[in-house]
């Protein structure tokens, strides 16, 4: 099993909808509903079940339930629009008792508790966790531990911290499953050279493999943020969005930064040129690898006459990434 964390945007939902049945059978996605979608009463939320049909998924509203402007009824109104008999609600330690109780009543598939390593290492964690565990059956709960952003120069520290945090959690062996998520995708492409592919070290798999070896008595499930950064926003305020390609490989992210939309970054000739470069790159995995790869190949060889939008390109990147991760994890388990 693999847990991709998605922002529940249209491109990502289309990316998972186009996965093969075999790949879909091996993932349990976590959909994050951003704060602005929770608090903006005029913003419509399309159910993830329109793209992820008849399959379980984690449903996480990343909201601060203690904020003054937070509306409990608004929260559950939006939750009910997305909730289904396949949803596994995600709890946070800052959720009030009222929120937790109402979420428990809405779940048909158990629960998930999502915590950061910083929260686990906090001196009040055991007391807060104790209150949570009194009301929520741990045996029916997934534990999701979010390590956050990884850096190459502090990777050993991140592994050491995560190991210590996990081992300090009470009732660890009683959880239904333990999921560990991390992120090394860049927050912004600012400063990247344009019109060429750049390799960025992909640290999530290295982190997961080394942590798993150090916690060999636990069956840890791998999780990451696909081709997104773990923060809510990826662009610096004032930046113009650019056409880009996000392509996952064994040890790196292969990233292409094109022109901004105002400078015709999505014009077919510009997108086609980038796709042609990717298809000739030694790390390209071929048109039959995934739906995303197939679409890239069609654009490269002009089998279509449109280059797509930023949304469709997020779908291609997400689809390829999840396919790659399922294949990589399956190969590791077979070896």
């Amino acid at each position: 099993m693999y847990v991709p964390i998605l922002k529940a945007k249209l491109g990502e939902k289309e990316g998972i909808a186009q996965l093969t049945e075999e790949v879909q059978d091996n993932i349990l996605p976590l959909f994050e509903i951003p704060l602005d979608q929770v608090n903006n009463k005029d913003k419509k939320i399309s159910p993830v079940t329109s793209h992820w049909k008849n399959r379980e998924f984690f449903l996480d509203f990343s909201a601060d339930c203690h904020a003054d402007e937070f509306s409990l009824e608004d929260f559950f109104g939006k939750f009910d629009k997305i909730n289904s008999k396949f949803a596994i609600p995600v709890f946070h330690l800052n959720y009030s008792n009222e929120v937790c109780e109402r979420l428990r009543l809405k779940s048909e598939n158990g629960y998930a508790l999502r915590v950061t390593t910083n929260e686990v290492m906090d001196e009040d964690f055991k007391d807060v966790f104790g209150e949570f565990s009194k009301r929520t059956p741990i045996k029916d709960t997934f534990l999701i531990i979010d390590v956050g952003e990884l850096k190459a120069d502090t990777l050993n520290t991140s592994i050491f911290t995560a190991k210590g945090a996990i081992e300090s959690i009470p009732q660890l062996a009683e959880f239904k499953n333990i999921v560990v998520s991390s992120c090394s995708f860049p927050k912004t492409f600012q400063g990247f050279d344009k019109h060429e592919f750049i390799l960025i070290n992909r640290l999530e798999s290295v982190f997961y493999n080394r942590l798993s070896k150090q916690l060999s008595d636990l069956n840890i499930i791998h999780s990451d943020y696909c081709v997104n950064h773990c923060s809510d926003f990826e662009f610096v305020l004032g930046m113009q969005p650019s056409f880009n390609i996000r392509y996952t490989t064994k040890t790196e992210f292969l990233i292409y930064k094109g022109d901004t939309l105002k400078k015709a970054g999505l014009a077919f000739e510009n997108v086609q040129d980038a796709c042609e470069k990717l298809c000739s790159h030694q790390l390209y995995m071929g048109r039959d690898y995934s739906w995303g790869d197939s679409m890239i190949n069609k654009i490269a060889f002009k089998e279509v006459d449109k280059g797509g939008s930023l949304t469709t390109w997020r779908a291609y990147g997400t689809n390829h990434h999840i396919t790659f991760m399922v294949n990589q994890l399956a190969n590791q388990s077979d070896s």
Side-chain angles (χ1 to χ4, degrees), residues 31-57:
F31 292 101
E32 286 186 336
I33 311 301
L35 282 169
D36 63 341
Q37 292 192 25
V38 174
N39 292 327
N40 187 346
K41 296 181 179 180
D42 298 324
K43 194 175 185 69
K44 295 181 179 180
I45 303 177
S46 61
V48 297
T49 49
S50 62
H51 293 77
W52 187 249
K53 298 181 179 180
N54 301 324
R55 293 178 181 272
E56 291 185 354
F57 61 96

Side-chain angles (χ1 to χ4, degrees), residues 56-283:
E56 291 185 354
F57 61 96
F58 294 115
L59 178 56
D60 187 358
F61 280 82
S62 53
D64 182 358
C65 295
H66 300 290
D68 292 337
E69 70 276 10
F70 183 80
S71 167
L72 203 61
E73 295 309 316
D74 187 39
F75 176 90
F76 281 102
K78 298 290 177 65
F79 180 90
D80 289 340
K81 289 181 180 178
I82 299 177
N83 189 31
S84 75
K85 64 180 181 179
F86 297 101
I88 302 172
V90 176
F91 293 70
H92 293 264
L93 291 178
N94 66 348
Y95 280 6
S96 67
N97 289 337
E98 183 179 359
V99 170
C100 290
E101 185 59 33
R102 289 177 65 173
L103 282 178
R104 289 185 200 100
L105 294 173
K106 292 178 179 294
S107 174
E108 299 182 28
N109 306 295
Y111 323 95
L113 173 64
R114 189 177 181 186
V115 296
T116 66
T117 49
N118 287 337
E119 285 177 318
V120 176
M121 302 304 287
D122 189 274
E123 61 181 9
D124 295 328
F125 172 75
K126 289 186 178 180
D127 291 337
V128 178
F129 175 81
E131 290 299 314
F132 173 84
S133 62
K134 287 178 183 177
R135 299 176 173 86
T136 309
I138 297 302
K139 64 181 180 62
D140 298 324
T141 303
F142 290 85
L143 175 63
I144 303 173
I145 303 167
D146 199 329
V147 177
E149 187 173 20
L150 300 173
K151 297 288 186 182
D153 57 351
T154 57
L155 186 60
N156 288 336
T157 301
S158 295
I159 295 169
F160 176 80
T161 301
K163 178 177 182 292
I166 292 170
E167 290 179 331
S168 72
I169 296 174
Q171 302 172 251
L172 188 62
E174 298 179 28
F175 281 96
K176 186 174 183 178
N177 281 115
I178 300 171
V179 179
V180 179
S181 60
S182 60
C183 169
S184 68
F185 195 85
K187 186 175 183 178
T188 174
F189 297 161
Q190 190 174 27
F192 284 24
D193 292 335
K194 289 185 177 182
H195 309 138
E196 61 181 71
F197 281 94
I198 298 171
L199 290 172
I200 302 294
N201 286 336
R202 191 172 68 82
L203 303 175
E204 293 91 337
S205 291
V206 177
F207 171 84
Y208 168 75
N209 291 335
R210 289 170 59 181
L211 181 65
S212 296
K213 288 179 180 178
Q214 295 196 24
L215 296 171
S216 57
D217 57 327
L218 298 174
N219 181 26
I220 296 175
I221 296 172
H222 180 62
S223 174
D224 61 33
Y225 285 79
C226 297
V227 287
N228 297 302
H229 189 263
C230 53
S231 63
D232 288 335
F233 302 102
E234 297 179 10
F235 298 102
V236 175
L237 189 63
M239 286 183 62
Q240 294 294 327
S242 302
F243 161 66
N244 61 81
I245 297 177
R246 307 170 180 213
Y247 196 81
T248 303
T249 72
K250 183 177 181 180
T251 57
E252 292 107 357
F253 290 111
L254 192 58
I255 295 173
Y256 178 93
K257 179 182 177 182
D259 290 318
T260 64
L261 303 194
K262 285 189 174 182
K263 293 185 178 180
L266 282 171
F268 180 75
E269 60 271 20
N270 294 330
V271 177
Q272 188 272 332
D273 178 67
C275 290
E276 194 172 9
K277 289 178 180 177
L278 177 55
C279 289
S280 63
H281 198 285
Q282 62 181 355
L283 294 177

Side-chain angles (χ1 to χ4, degrees), residues 268-273 275-276 279 287 294-307:
F268 180 75
E269 60 271 20
N270 294 330
V271 177
Q272 188 272 332
D273 178 67
C275 290
E276 194 172 9
C279 289
R287 68 178 300 160
S294 173
M295 296 306 299
I296 291 168
N297 193 275
K298 287 181 180 180
I299 296 171
F301 292 94
K302 300 181 180 179
E303 295 178 25
V304 295
D305 58 4
K306 293 182 180 180

